[in-house]
Amino acid sequence: MPESRPALSPAARHVQDTLRALGREYSVRESEHSTRTSAEAAQAVGCRVGQIAKSLVFRAQKSGRAVLVIASGANRVDEGRLAELLGEPIGRASPDFVREHTGYAIGGVAPVGHPSPLPIYIDADLLSFDEIWAAAGTPNAVFPLPSADLPALTGGRVVDIRAA
């Protein structure tokens, strides 16, 4: 008899449905353990922290638009470099701003399934791994994918964004 999986929460189900609609058969996994931080996610799935594709949302200060950076869990983002890429200063986004622009709470921001398109920048260091893990809508849901798929999946631009 096949093993049955518990039903996904609504946000994780949204990510799973979005992935399928994009023609991807990645499998969203929810855990009773937190995957909110890169270290927690790496421990939960048994990978290196660098393989965690952490989603960080910034607010462009002049235009007010949301910007998503998908960074290696081992790296800090060079905010000056991000501002240079955007052509305007950036700042941290509030939890309400993140939810409004991505549809997800901080700690669960998926790289797909946002209410409207966002500029997305991908940390080039993520592409050094064969497999990475991304958030899937909640602070305890993730999905694995080949790192080479991330740019096409998200429409994101691969850049050197790691802080020195």
Side-chain angles (χ1 to χ4, degrees):
M1 184 174 225
E3 181 182 324
S4 67
R5 287 186 147 178
L8 294 173
S9 67
R13 169 60 47 207
H14 172 72
V15 174
Q16 186 69 79
D17 292 346
T18 300
L19 292 169
R20 293 235 164 88
L22 293 169
R24 308 299 176 137
E25 291 300 319
Y26 313 131
S27 182
V28 170
R29 303 174 191 180
E30 279 189 297
S31 166
E32 68 267 6
H33 304 291
S34 173
T35 57
R36 182 179 173 93
T37 69
S38 297
E40 289 172 344
Q43 184 175 12
V45 301
C47 72
R48 296 183 7 215
V49 172
Q51 289 176 267
I52 300 301
K54 66 181 174 184
S55 296
L56 302 169
V57 178
F58 295 89
R59 181 182 181 123
Q61 291 183 343
K62 288 182 183 171
S63 65
R65 65 186 168 155
V67 179
L68 176 60
V69 175
I70 304 171
S72 167
N75 294 347
R76 287 184 311 108
V77 171
D78 182 338
E79 294 180 21
R81 173 77 174 125
L82 178 59
E84 181 183 297
L85 289 165
L86 284 173
E88 66 179 293
I90 55 105
R92 296 286 171 153
S94 71
D96 288 341
F97 182 87
V98 171
R99 187 178 289 278
E100 175 187 348
H101 290 276
T102 68
Y104 308 111
I106 291 174
V109 176
V112 297
H114 312 126
S116 57
L118 301 169
I120 298 175
Y121 294 93
I122 298 169
D123 180 350
D125 287 354
L126 280 171
L127 300 185
S128 68
F129 298 100
D130 291 333
E131 180 180 69
I132 58 175
W133 293 79
T138 74
N140 65 331
V142 292
F143 68 96
L145 72 153
S147 65
D149 288 2
L150 190 60
L153 177 69
T154 63
R157 179 176 165 197
V158 178
V159 295
D160 180 12
I161 198 85
R162 174 177 29 112

